[in-house]
Amino acid sequence: MSDARVRAAIEQMEAWLDSPEWVPEAQFLAEWKAGFDAALTQAEKAPGWPDMMIRAHAAGERLLERSLVLEKELNRLRLEIQAQERGNRALKGYGATVR
């Protein structure tokens, strides 16, 4: 088997990471990784292999960075929602109505 499937998987991940709208989802990433791992086991590891692995590792780092940014934003939103819920409970406790 050629390295074409590995290269295609790396290029697909790079394209997703280049899209600001793309949000990684756990199930989707698990399916992509299973296909990538299968391609890795069947690859010939031709002369361009080290460069391809550098690209793969760089894409992995970018994915980790994107995931950390999304996690930070999710945590910020959770805190904001919790603060709003506390505020709503306080208003309710004072007998005020929330609109």
Side-chain angles (χ1 to χ4, degrees):
M1 180 117 250
S2 73
D3 299 338
R5 286 178 49 208
V6 175
R7 183 177 298 107
I10 294 168
E11 289 171 354
Q12 181 64 65
M13 180 56 71
E14 289 170 337
W16 289 329
L17 290 165
D18 288 341
S19 171
E21 296 86 29
W22 183 70
V23 177
E25 296 177 18
Q27 179 63 30
F28 181 79
L29 289 174
E31 292 171 8
W32 177 89
K33 183 166 180 352
F36 180 72
D37 289 344
L40 277 177
T41 61
Q42 298 172 359
E44 291 176 352
K45 299 173 181 66
W49 188 257
D51 291 334
M52 201 173 353
M53 290 300 95
I54 289 170
R55 285 176 62 193
H57 288 280
E61 288 296 319
R62 289 177 61 199
L63 178 60
L64 178 61
E65 290 170 9
R66 167 108 31 122
S67 296
L68 292 174
V69 167
L70 291 171
E71 182 180 7
K72 186 175 180 179
E73 179 64 13
L74 179 62
N75 287 336
R76 186 192 67 74
L77 289 172
R78 280 188 185 132
L79 290 173
E80 186 177 318
I81 289 169
Q82 289 171 353
Q84 288 177 1
E85 288 172 347
R86 282 192 304 273
N88 286 341
R89 283 193 303 272
L91 287 173
K92 189 174 184 180
Y94 289 116
T97 59
V98 179
R99 298 179 193 224

